[in-house]
Amino acid sequence: MSRIVGIDFGTSNSSVAFHDGKSAQIIEMADGSRLLPSIIAFDQDNDVLVGAPAAAVGKLAPLKCFRHIKRLMGTVFNRVENVNSQVVEGDDGFVALKGPDKTYRPQQFGAVLFATLLDAAEAQYDERPDGVVVGVPAGFKDPQRAAIREAAEIAGIAPDRIWLMAEPVLAAIMYAQGRKKFSTIAVYDWGGGTFDFTLLRCKEGKLEVIGTRGNATLGGKDVDEILVRHCVRFWKEKTGADLGLHSLTMARIREHAEGTKIDLTGNPRSAVRVDYVSTDGGDGIQHMNVPITREEFEGMARSTVEETFIPCRELMAEYAVTPAMLDEVILVGGMTRMPLVHQMVEKEFGKKPSSRVSVTEAVALGAATYAAVAIERRGGEDFLLKDKATHTLAVETLGDIPFVVIKRGEALPAERVVQLTTSKDNAAVVGFHLLEGDSDKASRNSLLVRDYPEVSPGAAGDPTEEYRVRREVDSSIHVTHLGSGRVVYSSKGAEPA
Ligand SMILES: Nc1ncnc2c1ncn2[C@@H]1O[C@H](COP(=O)(O)OP(=O)(O)OP(=O)(O)O)[C@@H](O)[C@H]1O
Ligand SMILES: [Mg+2]
């Protein structure tokens, strides 16, 4: 029997769920926990550890421990942003991770996380899942999505048994369960690495995305950094030592900062405690203990929380949706547990956010439900999803100008034929550059496809080669060169259906 599980492949935590035809259930890990910390580490023999044992290594040997892997997957190396000493430039120009023995692609670590989730499902059902529905941030671009697919493939799942779905849509499926009336809802999803805001209309069996915006580089880890910077300032004032120069100490503080942030959710005061920290860059050593109250922390974090409202306001304005028109605001993601986030969301939208869906389990449960009702067509009525493109696809033209092919906000699936023209008399080749992104400067968008077909001689401006560009409802992109029928690009790595 085929078995498709739902997976929340998170920046901080991952989980897996299965829908048995009646309801979706989270599958427990071997140690009984419902979440797998998305952490990989190496032990003394350089064997790979996953989840909680990997987190324990992080406290002692942070440079042998790898966190927030999802946020690095499918991203181009950038000297300014990738300041962590574990992050290096791979041969392909993408981010790579420096392990104790060799360099790894983030997808390889992602695959270990996928395999651990599949192991848990196999232990529960005596059968290994052969398909996965995986939640991805709505704002992820194609290379990031391709990297997540690749991780699932390395873990043994066939390409045509991997479905990537926007995380807020999956959370909304859980909200819509059992609802008979259409409601307009907003999903405010703030996890460890990304922020997504999505407006939807939904009722049981039907979901229509109104629009989505987000910030793929704003997550709980950035809130942890606020505490890290606070510790660095505190230490500088106390001892004069500049910890910014000590990458190992910085990594150790980072390991503790998240715990302090979570502690402040339940307690009015806490402290970041790190043993054996250098005081002067030389021999001086002291234990670091940086006390902090919730109020102080909230003062520091307020502007970061405020940043999440920028995409929310833009999207609401674009679709003329006012807070009063929302039936419900759904909170998803661990960061929404922070009391300040809760309060500021309530104030922003003028209503108490809903607690009908579990903030950390909704994505995996929604993915499992999608697998059952939309893919395997069991467990209830028909399922209909209307989604929209989250990024524009365009072809680069002269003068750094993108010529729009499929626009952000267009209903999916969408398909266009693009005809190129030559720029010079008797040109021997023409260039086809397909871009993904919403900037009006071609060079600021990501280059997805490059193709240089030969053309017969003609005058400048003559129409030449044609390409068909198609974006499916799951956001996958397929490009075909029409003259030859050659598949130039497919997000799924295989011939499009
Ligand atoms: N009680 C809490 N108080 C404050 N923050 C919390 C709490 N619990 C979890 N978090 C934070 O929530 C984040 C993790 O949330 P979650 O598990 O939803 O993220 P994720 O799904 O792994 O990430 P993403 O969806 O961005 O890929 C972390 O930054 C974590 O520190
Ligand atoms: Mg998440």
Side-chain angles (χ1 to χ4, degrees):
M1 179 195 134
S2 84
R3 191 183 288 277
I4 310 175
V5 288
I7 289 186
D8 179 358
F9 179 75
T11 313
S12 302
N13 300 292
S14 298
S15 54
V16 54
F18 181 66
H19 191 294
D20 60 8
K22 292 196 197 82
S23 66
Q25 304 292 338
I26 294 284
I27 299 169
E28 290 181 357
M29 298 292 111
D31 66 0
S33 57
R34 296 167 74 81
L35 287 178
L36 173 72
S38 307
I39 307 175
I40 300 288
F42 291 87
D43 67 9
Q44 281 136 326
D45 304 322
N46 288 344
D47 286 333
V48 174
L49 301 172
V50 191
V57 168
K59 295 274 187 285
L60 300 168
L63 296 182
K64 283 187 141 190
C65 173
F66 297 84
R67 292 170 178 269
H68 309 128
I69 294 157
K70 170 176 166 183
R71 200 150 113 176
L72 297 171
M73 284 171 58
T75 63
V76 173
F77 181 80
N78 174 327
R79 219 161 284 286
V80 181
E81 278 169 26
N82 302 123
V83 288
N84 183 329
S85 62
Q86 292 172 307
V87 179
V88 294
E89 182 168 1
D91 297 336
D92 50 5
F94 280 80
V95 158
L97 294 165
K98 204 162 81 184
D101 50 349
K102 59 178 179 133
T103 300
Y104 294 84
R105 300 170 67 224
Q107 286 87 310
Q108 292 174 284
F109 288 167
V112 176
L113 294 168
F114 270 108
T116 308
L117 298 169
L118 296 172
D119 288 347
E122 183 173 355
Q124 167 102 9
Y125 297 106
D126 288 329
E127 179 190 28
R128 199 163 183 82
D130 70 339
V132 288
V133 173
V134 188
V136 290
F140 262 24
K141 290 190 178 170
D142 205 65
Q144 296 168 290
R145 301 168 64 94
I148 291 185
R149 279 188 159 275
E150 191 188 337
E153 281 178 42
I154 300 172
I157 305 293
D160 62 346
R161 302 287 289 166
I162 302 169
W163 291 267
L164 302 187
M165 298 294 302
E167 290 168 2
V169 168
L170 296 176
I173 290 177
M174 290 320 285
Y175 173 82
Q177 289 279 297
R179 300 235 132 195
K180 296 284 171 250
K181 255 181 54 193
F182 251 117
S183 12
T184 304
I185 64 166
V187 178
Y188 177 102
D189 177 0
W190 203 8
T194 52
F195 174 72
D196 272 336
F197 181 74
T198 303
L199 294 169
L200 302 109
R201 300 218 325 126
C202 64
K203 78 172 209 179
E204 182 155 41
K206 287 196 181 62
L207 279 183
E208 185 182 342
V209 176
I210 298 171
T212 201
R213 287 238 181 167
N215 186 337
T217 57
L218 183 67
K221 84 185 267 289
D222 304 285
V223 179
D224 304 345
E225 277 311 300
I226 298 172
L227 277 178
V228 172
R229 288 196 295 274
H230 175 63
C231 290
V232 171
R233 273 195 307 272
F234 179 95
W235 208 240
K236 176 98 183 149
E237 276 167 30
K238 183 171 167 171
T239 72
D242 184 358
L243 295 178
L245 306 171
H246 296 237
S247 58
L248 182 61
T249 309
M250 289 297 281
R252 289 169 57 220
I253 298 173
R254 259 183 208 116
E255 285 287 329
H256 289 82
E258 182 183 6
T260 307
K261 173 189 74 178
I262 293 175
D263 207 24
L264 287 168
T265 287
N267 298 297
R269 60 187 67 246
S270 183
V272 186
R273 294 192 189 88
V274 188
D275 288 346
Y276 305 111
V277 175
S278 163
T279 55
D280 59 2
D283 311 335
I285 295 272
Q286 279 180 30
H287 296 324
M288 173 188 269
N289 183 355
V290 187
I292 182 154
T293 64
R294 186 194 289 166
E295 208 179 330
E296 285 167 335
F297 176 51
E298 290 184 347
M300 295 175 209
R302 193 167 284 277
S303 62
T304 307
V305 181
E306 189 68 36
E307 268 184 66
T308 66
F309 297 134
I310 299 171
C312 302
R313 288 174 195 153
E314 284 174 356
L315 187 71
M316 307 258 301
E318 183 176 352
Y319 289 99
V321 174
T322 61
M325 288 156 77
L326 295 175
D327 293 298
E328 207 107 49
V329 178
I330 317 289
L331 297 183
V332 181
M335 270 310 293
T336 63
R337 291 218 176 102
M338 188 171 157
L340 178 71
V341 175
H342 220 272
Q343 284 156 23
M344 287 176 68
V345 169
E346 181 171 344
K347 185 151 174 275
E348 176 74 15
F349 297 98
K351 52 171 63 70
K352 271 210 174 319
S354 158
S355 49
R356 262 172 53 103
V357 303
S358 152
V359 299
T360 49
E361 297 184 351
V363 171
L365 293 171
T369 305
Y370 182 83
V373 302
I375 299 172
E376 297 192 312
R377 300 271 171 204
R378 54 189 170 77
E381 51 192 286
D382 278 356
F383 181 82
L384 182 72
L385 170 67
K386 290 191 193 163
D387 207 344
K388 290 179 170 168
T390 28
H391 295 292
T392 297
L393 291 177
V395 173
E396 183 180 352
T397 64
L398 282 178
D400 204 21
I401 297 165
F403 172 78
V404 172
V405 181
I406 296 172
K407 201 170 168 45
R408 189 179 80 83
E410 258 188 66
L412 296 177
E415 186 177 296
R416 293 284 134 71
V417 172
V418 188
Q419 183 156 46
L420 304 184
T421 50
T422 48
S423 56
K424 289 196 228 95
D425 285 340
N426 295 323
V429 287
V430 284
F432 171 78
H433 292 177
L434 187 69
L435 312 163
E436 188 181 23
D438 302 293
S439 171
D440 55 6
K441 292 257 180 294
S443 52
R444 295 221 185 111
N445 294 314
S446 343
L447 178 61
L448 207 58
V449 181
R450 228 185 271 198
D451 198 46
Y452 300 99
E454 287 178 17
V455 292
S456 1
D462 275 0
T464 60
E465 306 301 296
E466 287 183 326
Y467 290 83
R468 185 175 61 225
V469 178
R470 185 175 167 86
R471 182 157 227 166
E472 298 289 349
V473 72
D474 67 358
S475 280
S476 62
I477 301 164
H478 307 277
V479 183
T480 314
H481 176 248
L482 285 183
S484 62
R486 179 168 52 92
V487 176
V488 180
Y489 182 81
S490 167
S491 308
K492 298 196 172 177
E495 187 101 359

